[in-house]
Amino acid sequence: MERVRSTSTTTRTGASRATGPGLALAALATLVWSGSFVASRALHDSVPPVQAAFWRWIVALAAVAPFAARAAWRQRALIRRHFAYLALAALLGVTVYNTLVNQAGLSTSAGNMGMIMAASPVLMALYERLGGERLGARRTAGTLVACAGVVLLVSKGSPTPHFAAGDLWMVAAALCFASYSALLRRRPAALDGRTFLFTTFALGALMLAPAYEISLAVQGGFAAEPATVGPLLYVGVLSSAVAFFAWNKAIALIGAARAGVVYYLQPVCVTLLSFALLGEAAGPGQLLCMALILGGVVLGSRTSR
């Protein structure tokens, strides 16, 4: 009996120690991804969505290769063994998700993109609940409070909100991202995190290649100038290599549901970035919604006792 109690105490202590770093990594990824919506919106007039997605992952692959290529080569047998899993993760999290985000940027604002994506934690929590994990009262309450803030923010208080075509593309992107996050919990333990990133980035870019060639033939290329190269470097290096590594590590430490609650900070971050970069001030209604979102994040991210 003492041994059982000791093991249980050790498990709770380890989980508690992982909570702080896990939340910090999830917050870092969320902040960086918030900037990517501004960058994607900035590219909507100059770079076709598929081409922007393709070059994002080429840049990301180049960024992680010096740190991950050798590990991937050493684990090539594991890659072959789990190829179907890696291909599905690449399809959802790399090929489809980012392309949908770029497509959404053609017809909706960066603010709306961030707000709608903030709904994906509801799906993450649902996936974990279906997987048999008990979310607990605090996390459930935090999810509901934060979700209410997001709904009010998107609808602007109207009972019948109107969504543009880009908003619907973002709903599809949110579904893809939540599915990708749920898959991360099933990542084989022996598969190194660097190997996972390098392989999914490579597979995702490879799957985008045919669509990229079609886009080039139909829409033509784009001019390589600071207005296009800068945002592509941001989404390639920071939003892909850095943010995906941080997010994947956060989920390994604290799980998709708890990391997903932190993800509700995204509309707050997008609004602040819009104010800092575009001079768009938040009104009283937006500030109230942000308070709900932040309160839900604090409540839902606390460790259950």
Side-chain angles (χ1 to χ4, degrees):
M1 180 65 72
E2 279 301 320
R3 182 175 296 178
V4 171
R5 289 177 179 172
S6 177
T7 302
S8 177
T9 301
T10 301
T11 301
R12 286 197 300 270
T13 302
S16 180
R17 287 177 179 172
T19 298
L23 293 175
L25 287 167
L28 171 64
T30 298
L31 176 61
V32 173
W33 277 329
S34 298
S36 73
F37 292 126
V38 178
S40 295
R41 182 64 177 162
L43 292 171
H44 81 282
D45 282 332
S46 53
V47 184
V50 171
Q51 294 182 40
F54 178 78
W55 282 109
R56 168 181 179 162
W57 297 113
I58 293 299
V59 171
L61 195 58
V64 302
F67 311 100
R70 288 185 179 179
W73 176 252
R74 286 195 301 268
Q75 294 196 308
R76 58 190 182 278
L78 274 174
I79 293 174
R80 286 195 297 269
R81 188 183 313 160
H82 301 290
F83 185 80
Y85 166 82
L86 290 166
L88 181 58
L91 178 67
L92 291 172
V94 176
T95 304
V96 178
Y97 164 66
N98 187 241
T99 305
L100 290 173
V101 170
N102 292 337
Q103 183 66 37
L106 296 178
S107 54
T108 193
S109 66
N112 268 20
M113 291 164 72
M115 293 173 203
I116 294 169
M117 269 305 295
S120 59
V122 176
L123 297 170
M124 295 179 204
L126 179 59
Y127 278 131
E128 291 212 354
R129 186 67 188 90
L130 291 174
E133 180 170 328
R134 185 175 177 274
L135 299 180
R138 284 180 180 171
R139 216 181 310 176
T140 301
T143 298
L144 292 174
V145 170
C147 186
V150 171
V151 170
L152 286 173
L153 197 58
V154 172
S155 67
K156 297 180 175 63
S158 170
T160 55
H162 299 285
F163 295 94
D167 296 332
L168 298 179
W169 286 118
M170 281 308 302
V171 170
L175 178 60
C176 279
F177 182 72
S179 301
Y180 168 80
S181 296
L183 272 178
L184 292 179
R185 292 291 281 175
R186 298 180 177 274
R187 193 186 86 195
L191 197 64
D192 185 87
R194 295 168 299 168
T195 298
F196 177 82
L197 281 186
F198 182 81
T199 306
T200 53
F201 287 0
L203 289 174
L206 190 61
M207 287 185 234
L208 272 169
Y212 173 75
E213 292 297 331
I214 293 172
S215 177
L216 276 181
V218 174
Q219 299 171 294
F222 61 90
E225 53 191 17
T228 56
V229 173
L232 285 174
L233 286 175
Y234 178 90
V235 297
V237 177
L238 295 179
S239 294
S240 301
V242 175
F244 269 78
F245 177 82
W247 183 255
N248 295 356
K249 185 66 175 176
I251 287 180
L253 290 172
I254 60 176
R258 185 169 291 149
V261 175
V262 179
Y263 196 75
Y264 278 116
L265 287 169
Q266 187 152 254
V268 179
C269 295
V270 172
T271 300
L272 293 176
L273 286 172
S274 297
F275 173 73
L277 300 176
L278 306 175
E280 297 177 354
Q286 288 176 303
L287 293 176
L288 174 61
C289 294
M290 286 183 206
L292 283 173
I293 293 168
L294 287 169
V297 168
V298 172
L299 179 62
S301 61
R302 291 180 65 185
T303 305
S304 297
R305 298 183 189 276

